Amino acid sequence: MVARDREAHFDRDAWRRCADFGVLGMPIPQQYGGLGLGLSELLAVMEGLGAGTRDQGLLFSLNAHLWTNSIPILIYGTEEQRRRYLPPLCDGSFIGANAASEPDAGSDIFSMRTRATRDGGYYVLNGAKTFVTNAPSPISSWPTPRSIPPLARWGLPGS
């Protein structure tokens, strides 16, 4: 474990075992490749992994994958996006990344400066990120700007 941490080694075998067990698809409906379980079941499994694994980095990666990729796609994604991205996120062939940390803000989302500006059918991101959870080889990545439309209801400035 210490050697893996020192070498910044991502344990793909452990990731694969979690995917095979269904952890990555627990809260995702079966029609998108998940197990269709509820929040209580997911939280119980995460608590159990937290108590039972020595690899807390894996636990952090699993949660970043689920809470900042799979679940937002399920809630806010289009049907086409759900069908395209959720099955490989559930089976572990896609690894969801999270780019929230910024040079002057850390992971404090209220201090972030990165902005997303709509340009036709796309968003243009403008800003800098410091750390990307589940990098350097993310297949799916959600850089977190401060101006994401679904966050406007929470009163984030610039949204």
Side-chain angles (χ1 to χ4, degrees):
M1 176 65 59
V2 173
R4 279 201 322 251
D5 283 350
R6 189 178 309 113
E7 297 167 10
H9 174 75
F10 181 74
D11 190 348
R12 289 192 183 273
D13 291 333
W15 182 267
R16 173 60 43 213
R17 286 192 304 273
C18 288
D20 291 346
F21 188 73
V23 173
L24 300 176
M26 288 184 71
I28 306 302
Q30 292 178 351
Q31 71 192 64
Y32 302 117
L35 298 179
L37 299 175
L39 182 60
S40 297
E41 291 88 355
L42 176 60
L43 294 177
V45 167
M46 291 301 166
E47 183 178 7
L49 284 171
T53 185
R54 292 185 302 147
D55 191 348
Q56 295 298 305
L58 174 64
L59 183 63
F60 189 83
S61 290
L62 293 169
N63 277 283
H65 174 89
L66 285 163
W67 298 107
T68 65
N69 287 269
S70 300
I71 293 171
I73 291 171
L74 178 64
I75 294 171
Y76 301 110
T78 64
E79 185 61 26
E80 179 184 345
Q81 290 168 331
R82 288 183 199 115
R83 292 191 185 285
R84 180 176 179 185
Y85 295 114
L86 289 175
L89 285 166
C90 288
D91 71 20
S93 57
F94 277 19
I95 299 174
N98 178 28
S101 299
E102 293 189 356
D104 296 324
S107 57
D108 174 7
I109 62 169
F110 293 102
S111 297
M112 286 188 209
R113 294 192 176 134
T114 297
R115 297 286 187 257
T117 307
R118 192 162 190 76
D119 183 9
Y122 300 92
Y123 282 89
V124 176
L125 294 174
N126 185 8
K129 296 298 176 178
T130 307
F131 300 107
V132 180
T133 303
N134 289 346
S137 57
I139 297 173
S140 168
S141 182
W142 293 96
T144 307
R146 199 167 160 183
S147 53
I148 299 175
L151 299 181
R153 69 177 141 220
W154 294 326
L156 287 177
S159 46

